[in-house]
Amino acid sequence: MWAFVRRHRDGLPLVVFGLLVLGAWLSTNADRPLLWAALGALGLVGAVWLVWWARRRLARRREERLVERTDLSAVDTMTGTEFEEFVASLLRTHGYTRVEVVGGASDGGADVRAHAPDGRAVVVQCKRWRRPVPPHEVRAFVGTLSGTHRGFTGLFVASQGFTDAAVREADAGHDAALALVDRHGLALWMRGERVPELPPARPGASDAA
């Protein structure tokens, strides 16, 4: 409570003034039941929103603490091939079947292939880099999902995350079903707290081998 007050003390006079104005206005309209009913409904909606917001903040903070306590140093020293094998092991641990590491010099953008618990064919691109993945790499993977692995659902796992432009590229309107797993998501996945959520299946996904 006091930490909140200290952070927002510059705005407190305005808040107090606003409350005084509101109180004065309400006192002059005390004999209007419909007004109080409307205010009560708004207060209930506000309380529900506040509880939802607080729960989200607490959940986010809990995730941040878990990520802070997750040692990713072993991941940061892996070779590219070791990282692909590591991601494949995470997939197997969390219910994926027919997991196959296929990465190589001519992998065509596919490092791991598997089937999700819901039966969908999934292709995974893995980047164990020292910097965030730029947008052209996401575009290349989208090309893979539109070409040699058409009908597959894509999962892009990057140990150092993605640039903002790369995230926007993944969210851009295209036919590929693609999910990104950044460093935060990877840490939660390693702890078994949150398995990457696949995007909704696109038309033709059931035709993938």
Side-chain angles (χ1 to χ4, degrees):
M1 175 64 180
W2 290 115
F4 177 86
V5 170
R6 286 194 297 270
R7 286 197 302 270
H8 300 84
R9 60 181 179 270
D10 293 340
L12 286 179
L14 183 60
V15 172
V16 172
F17 176 76
L19 290 174
L20 290 173
V21 172
L22 178 62
W25 181 79
L26 290 175
S27 67
T28 61
N29 293 275
D31 58 345
R32 300 173 64 181
L34 290 179
L35 173 64
W36 286 101
L39 289 175
L42 287 174
L44 179 61
V45 171
V48 171
W49 178 86
L50 184 61
V51 170
W52 171 83
W53 176 83
R55 287 170 64 91
R56 285 201 62 182
R57 283 293 298 269
L58 288 172
R60 180 67 179 179
R61 183 56 191 151
R62 176 178 176 274
E63 283 190 355
E64 289 172 352
R65 288 196 298 268
L66 288 173
V67 171
E68 289 169 1
R69 294 199 296 264
T70 302
D71 185 5
L72 292 171
S73 59
V75 169
D76 292 335
T77 59
M78 290 179 181
T79 65
T81 300
E82 289 171 341
F83 187 56
E84 293 167 9
E85 294 285 355
F86 178 67
V87 171
S89 70
L90 288 174
L91 292 169
R92 295 186 186 99
T93 299
H94 292 96
Y96 284 71
T97 59
R98 298 166 64 181
V99 181
E100 178 187 13
V101 177
V102 294
S106 58
D107 59 18
D111 294 322
V112 183
R113 283 196 293 259
H115 279 72
D118 63 6
R120 275 188 285 169
V122 177
V123 62
V124 187
Q125 174 71 271
C126 305
K127 293 295 185 188
R128 211 293 298 154
W129 284 4
R130 300 182 187 276
R131 65 185 188 280
V133 170
H136 71 268
E137 293 289 341
V138 175
R139 283 195 295 272
F141 190 45
V142 168
T144 296
L145 297 172
S146 301
T148 57
H149 287 79
R150 186 173 184 82
F152 282 70
T153 297
L155 198 61
F156 201 141
V157 186
S159 64
Q160 291 294 339
F162 303 84
T163 65
D164 291 342
V167 173
R168 290 194 296 270
E169 183 70 34
D171 292 337
H174 48 66
D175 293 335
L178 171 63
L180 304 182
V181 182
D182 59 13
R183 192 172 181 84
H184 183 96
L186 178 60
L188 293 175
W189 192 8
M190 289 168 58
R191 295 187 71 95
E193 287 287 329
R194 191 175 71 197
V195 180
E197 184 176 351
L198 296 177
R202 301 292 176 88
S206 59
D207 298 330

